């Protein structure tokens, strides 16, 4: 981890920035998607939100309910948080350890690809084990980067 | 994204640090607030937690329950995670692309302001669409920074 | 916050990288642990996931259910997200403010230790207030670092 200051200008860091922004944008899309399903399925979690859809007072109380499609999008979103954030944190530190560009690109591409597959498999949904495979692939990719960070920076 | 190493000492990065820490502290406050509501509303999610409030064994089992006020704080907290973390990640990369100070400050201030309004609108609660507007404003701000990051660093 | 570019090569940053990676790996372990409990307790949240365990069509529908052990792991995981991510973000900025190595190591070690205790206390589970103490310790550690960041970088 010598000369970290040079790394931040490198192609590895540019690639990290691009892939991270893509995968974060993918995660952000889950928010409006949840809103869309809440509005079309008329399933809200707060009483005040029911005013966003035309209905009488009596009907509004019934709209505070759980809908399976909304819950599916929410689970997918939470899974993104649980997996994409470790990737971003570990990937940033990994980029600063001065890896080979080809090796870094391989990690970034496999991870972003695995999360796109995971979202598709979750929302369509595709039969298992497609989602399990996508999720495991992402987990292994992040672990592989974490191994390099620990090995390079080890300082307890 | 030339001379990134200079950027990290810049006023943009100082401003990013300050606004990020403020918005992260705001998010962290949701944790003790959840605990406060759990203790005052006597609504816990684990049996062992009921010992934190004086009660008999018989009563304790009834305290493992869901309370609407606790759930409201928890939903607000999860919404923070879903929106503030993308801001922090994208904002860090954005700060390193060398934006105009005025433009960066505008993004940071609008985002932090929108999240403070969002929390107020969620917890009071204020009538919709106040919360929806605050949430959308934050989403657009982060997307605008993400657009600049992708345009500046593009490397696939 | 002068000469930030020197800080990124420092022992403080190496220590930050190591402790952050350790605590992120700990958080990542919660994902396969949830899967393990879902498979052994036969409690799934998606109908398509029930095909991962041998069962007839009739049985499969009954496997989409909530299990207390699975929910415990999930709550622990969400608590990790709510606490570890603020540590990582604030810790990164804190590392760039040029703190004393001894002071930085103290913060990192106390935080990582508190989260390991928190996970043990949540999953065994240990009687309260062991988990409450571990959680509060982590919160105070992150707040202490946030205070230094705000004081050093203050730029609104």
């Amino acid at each position: 981890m010598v000369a970290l200051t040079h790394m931040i200008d490198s192609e590895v860091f540019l690639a990290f920035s691009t892939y991270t922004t893509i995968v974060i944008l993918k995660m952000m899309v889950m928010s409006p998607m949840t809103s869309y399903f809440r509005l079309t399925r008329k399933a809200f979690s707060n009483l005040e939100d029911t005013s966003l859809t035309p209905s009488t007072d009596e009907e509004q109380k019934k709209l505070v309910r759980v809908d399976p499609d909304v819950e599916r999008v929410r689970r997918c979103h939470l899974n993104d948080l649980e997996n994409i954030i470790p990737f971003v944190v570990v990937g940033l530190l990994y980029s600063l350890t001065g890896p080979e560009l080809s090796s870094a690109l391989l990690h970034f591409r496999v991870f972003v690809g695995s999360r796109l597959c995971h979202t598709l498999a979750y929302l369509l949904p595709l039969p298992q084990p497609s989602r399990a495979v996508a999720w495991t692939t992402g987990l292994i990719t992040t672990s592989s980067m974490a191994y390099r960070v620990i090995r390079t920076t080890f300082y307890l």
Side-chain angles (χ1 to χ4, degrees), chain A residues 9-141:
Chain A
D9 290 313
S10 68
E11 285 176 307
V12 169
F13 199 79
L14 290 181
F16 170 73
S17 299
T18 306
Y19 283 102
T20 288
T21 309
I22 289 170
V23 83
I24 289 277
L25 284 172
K26 189 229 83 58
M27 186 167 86
M28 285 168 65
V29 167
M30 306 309 285
S31 280
M33 201 184 285
T34 305
S35 302
Y36 171 79
F37 276 100
R38 283 204 184 282
L39 288 167
T40 53
R41 300 296 191 270
K42 295 182 186 261
F44 300 94
S45 46
N46 300 292
L47 186 58
E48 72 267 25
D49 302 353
T50 56
S51 67
L52 294 170
T53 191
S55 55
T56 66
D57 274 13
E58 189 61 20
E59 287 170 347
Q60 288 192 349
K61 278 178 196 159
K62 290 181 191 158
L63 300 185
V64 180
R65 62 187 183 85
V66 169
D67 178 88
D69 290 332
V70 173
E71 295 307 305
R72 185 173 280 276
V73 180
R74 291 185 63 217
R75 284 197 299 273
C76 185
H77 197 171
L78 187 59
N79 196 283
D80 272 357
L81 278 172
E82 291 169 359
N83 288 276
I84 290 176
I85 294 163
F87 166 79
V88 171
V89 173
V90 173
L92 175 66
L93 299 173
Y94 169 82
S95 300
L96 298 176
T97 62
E100 289 289 318
L101 178 60
S102 59
S103 171
L105 283 173
L106 183 67
H107 280 92
F108 301 159
R109 284 170 185 165
V110 168
F111 183 84
V112 173
S114 80
R115 293 313 296 182
L116 295 177
C117 292
H118 181 272
T119 305
L120 277 181
Y122 217 144
L123 297 184
L124 288 177
L126 297 178
Q128 285 282 23
S130 56
R131 200 180 88 231
V133 168
W135 171 79
T136 311
T137 306
L139 215 61
I140 291 172
T141 312

